[in-house]
Amino acid sequence: MSYLDYEFYKYIGLKLKDARTKHKYSLEEVGKRIGKTKKTIQRYETGEVRIDIETLDAMFLILIATSF
């Protein structure tokens, strides 16, 4: 992963983490709702791994769309 990719996914991850903590969801809760492990959600939030569009969409629906 290039430096720019890493920074992009790190930024996306921070936004996801902010939304998750705002809603007071645990890593495990989010993981169970989208079929991923707690560790995978944590890796998405830190930008350690790339998040695919389907997973990003599922997390968006859980964390962000429920705010409106």
Side-chain angles (χ1 to χ4, degrees):
M1 184 178 335
S2 74
Y3 176 75
L4 288 176
D5 284 346
Y6 173 74
E7 288 299 313
F8 173 75
Y9 287 104
K10 185 176 168 184
Y11 177 79
I12 296 295
L14 286 173
K15 294 300 180 183
L16 291 171
K17 184 176 182 176
D18 287 345
R20 180 181 60 78
T21 56
K22 177 183 170 191
H23 289 290
K24 299 182 178 151
Y25 292 147
S26 69
L27 291 166
E28 190 171 5
E29 286 176 288
V30 173
K32 282 183 181 180
R33 292 184 72 181
I34 65 168
K36 303 286 183 180
T37 65
K38 175 173 93 169
K39 187 67 175 173
T40 300
I41 302 301
Q42 183 180 35
R43 287 179 176 152
Y44 290 148
E45 289 182 354
T46 61
E48 190 176 330
V49 295
R50 293 178 181 202
I51 186 169
D52 59 82
I53 194 68
E54 292 83 13
T55 303
L56 183 59
D57 184 50
M59 289 182 75
F60 173 80
L61 291 174
I62 293 167
L63 300 173
I64 298 169
T66 57
S67 299
F68 299 106

